[in-house]
């Protein structure tokens, strides 16, 4: 039997909170035409299913992949530039 000074009909006031489930942001990703870059951009969708503390790993992975793709573009040998024709000679003596 409860003591006379305890309120009756009240339960433990400590509420219990559950974190909300991850919600996809719905950010559209347009294809770039480069399969490697498109795969990296699709990897961003993985963050839609993770809690916020898991996003950093996905973003860092995608960022590193995009940096590697850009570095590879700089390293590709391109066509040799056309030779520059000699300019006019200014050593004319008449």
């Amino acid at each position: 039997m409860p003591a006379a000074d305890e309120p009756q009909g009240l339960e433990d006031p400590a509420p219990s909170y559950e974190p909300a489930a991850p919600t996809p942001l719905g950010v559209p990703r347009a294809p770039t035409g480069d399969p490697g870059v498109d795969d990296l951009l699709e990897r961003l969708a993985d963050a839609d299913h993770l809690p916020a503390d898991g996003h950093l790993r996905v973003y860092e992975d995608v960022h590193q992949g995009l940096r590697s793709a850009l570095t590879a573009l700089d390293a590709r040998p391109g066509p040799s530039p056309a030779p520059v024709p000699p300019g006019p000679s200014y050593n004319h003596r008449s």
Side-chain angles (χ1 to χ4, degrees):
M1 185 157 155
D5 60 340
E6 287 184 27
Q8 303 225 355
L10 296 179
E11 298 191 19
D12 185 21
S16 152
Y17 295 104
E18 292 294 321
T23 304
L25 297 175
V27 176
R29 288 173 287 279
T32 66
D34 182 298
V37 171
D38 290 341
D39 288 345
L40 287 165
L41 294 178
E42 283 303 312
R43 169 111 167 80
L44 290 173
D46 293 347
D48 284 347
H49 309 289
L50 297 172
D53 62 351
H55 291 190
L56 184 60
R57 186 180 323 179
V58 173
Y59 295 154
E60 286 178 342
D61 182 44
V62 171
H63 182 252
Q64 182 58 44
L66 291 172
R67 285 180 60 101
S68 295
L70 287 173
T71 299
L73 288 175
D74 287 340
R76 279 191 208 161
S80 298
V84 178
S89 172
Y90 294 104
N91 261 345
H92 294 279
R93 295 191 180 206
S94 354

